[in-house]
Structure formats: structure tokens, C-alpha cells
Amino acid sequence: MSRVYLPLILLLLLVMQGAMIELIPARVDELGWLIVSHSVFLFLVLFKMFYDLEDTYYALFFAILFGFLIDVVYTNILGVYMFSYAISIYFVHGMRKLLHANFYVASLLAFVAVGLVDFLLYLIYYATDVTQMIMADYLINRMIPTMVVNLMIFLIFYALFKRKLVKWSKERFDEKRSTN
């Protein structure tokens, strides 16, 4: 059943990601901050940490697929989110092999991975002249507020989804092992 739930959750988060912009207070605009919600990516980090095994790449597949969907729905350049999500989830995959999956490691990896995604997006958009924001402005007005807000979103997602992902992973992969 998790095979149906996981893409549906990601699809719901994809739709909600655009609506989350409306929840940002007007005060944030007055301060000049640009906050980007990476809720789909944060779920993918949890997915990689608590659902995927060391030798499975479902999260990477969904990172490519939903990164492409975000490109189609929200951006003018195809492949930017797809590339950034894929690289960052692959980074999490590598770190997951080295570190134990617990709250602190998952939070740290989510924080670093969101920073990596957002920085890759900035670099690509800067290189293609989509944005002319200088690095200092980007770091202060976009990266730091984005990382803080996304860490809060991650903490909510961790509380909501961690147990379910572990349960679905055991159901799926223990079932496969028992039939082999």
C-alpha cells in the first residue's frame, strides 16, 4: 500500500508547495527576505533516510520525477530542480551509508541538503542570467531565511511521517526478503 501512498504524498506536497507562499507573513516582504519552501524535497530526505535501504534508489527516482514536475509547474527552465534535487538526494544517500538514521542526523542532513539544493538553484539561475542577485544578498536575504523555514517544516514532517515511513519500509522490504 505504501507504493500508492508515497507518490500521493509527494503529489499533495507538490500542490501545497505553491500554496505555502501565501502563508508567509507580509512582514517578510518588508524585510526583503525571499523564502522558498522545499517541502517536496524535505519529504524526499525523510524518504531516503527512513524508507530506502542502502542499495535502493527510490528516493532518487522520485527526486528526478518530482524535480521535473516542479520545473514544469513552477519554473521557466526545465531540469533545474530535477538536477538539484537529484544531486542533493544522492548526497543524502551517500551520507546515509556513513551515518545512523536518527533525529539529529536526519535534521542535520536535511539542513545541509536544503542549503545544497537552494545554492545549486541559485548558481544555475545566476549562470543562466535568470537572477542577477549578488552572492551576499542571496546568502542574507534568501538562503538563511529559506533554510530556517525549511528546518521548521522538516521538524513537522519528521513528527508526521517518520514512523509511517519506517513501517512502510519494513512491510515492503521484509516482504521481498521473505519471498526470496
Side-chain angles (χ1 to χ4, degrees):
M1 197 56 138
S2 65
R3 294 177 194 185
V4 175
Y5 289 145
L6 294 170
L8 286 177
I9 291 169
L10 284 164
L11 194 59
L12 178 67
L13 290 173
L14 175 72
V15 172
M16 288 176 50
Q17 189 163 300
M20 284 186 186
I21 294 170
E22 300 300 322
L23 300 175
I24 297 172
R27 176 96 170 103
V28 171
D29 274 344
E30 294 169 9
L31 293 171
W33 292 348
L34 300 168
I35 297 175
V36 178
S37 169
H38 294 291
S39 57
V40 170
F41 180 75
L42 292 170
F43 184 78
L44 287 167
V45 170
L46 280 172
F47 187 112
K48 181 68 218 161
M49 294 291 295
F50 298 109
Y51 183 82
D52 263 353
L53 302 177
E54 287 185 13
D55 60 340
T56 59
Y57 293 88
Y58 296 108
L60 184 61
F61 168 75
F62 283 118
I64 293 168
L65 177 65
F66 280 89
F68 179 73
L69 289 174
I70 288 170
D71 286 330
V72 168
V73 173
Y74 295 114
T75 69
N76 296 329
I77 302 174
L78 293 181
V80 177
Y81 273 82
M82 182 175 69
F83 172 77
S84 300
Y85 278 17
I87 293 293
S88 299
I89 287 297
Y90 194 74
F91 166 77
V92 171
H93 175 80
M95 291 291 102
R96 169 72 170 81
K97 288 183 176 184
L98 299 174
L99 305 168
H100 294 288
N102 60 42
F103 172 75
Y104 301 109
V105 169
S107 299
L108 179 64
L109 275 178
F111 188 75
V112 171
V114 165
L116 179 61
V117 161
D118 208 63
F119 189 68
L120 285 172
L121 291 171
Y122 167 74
L123 286 178
I124 293 168
Y125 284 139
Y126 189 78
T128 57
D129 277 339
V130 173
T131 185
Q132 288 79 33
M133 184 183 293
I134 61 172
M135 180 73 72
D137 288 342
Y138 163 74
L139 292 173
I140 293 168
N141 293 326
R142 178 173 165 169
M143 187 173 202
I144 293 171
T146 294
M147 289 177 69
V148 169
V149 167
N150 280 286
L151 184 60
M152 290 187 282
I153 293 169
F154 178 80
L155 296 175
I156 294 167
F157 283 5
Y158 186 91
L160 291 174
F161 296 118
K162 190 254 182 185
R163 285 189 183 134
K164 279 290 186 197
L165 288 169
V166 170
K167 178 184 169 202
W168 291 337
S169 178
K170 285 181 182 177
E171 288 173 2
R172 177 162 190 183
F173 297 116
D174 287 345
E175 177 183 301
K176 272 189 173 180
R177 286 189 195 118
S178 66
T179 59
N180 290 337

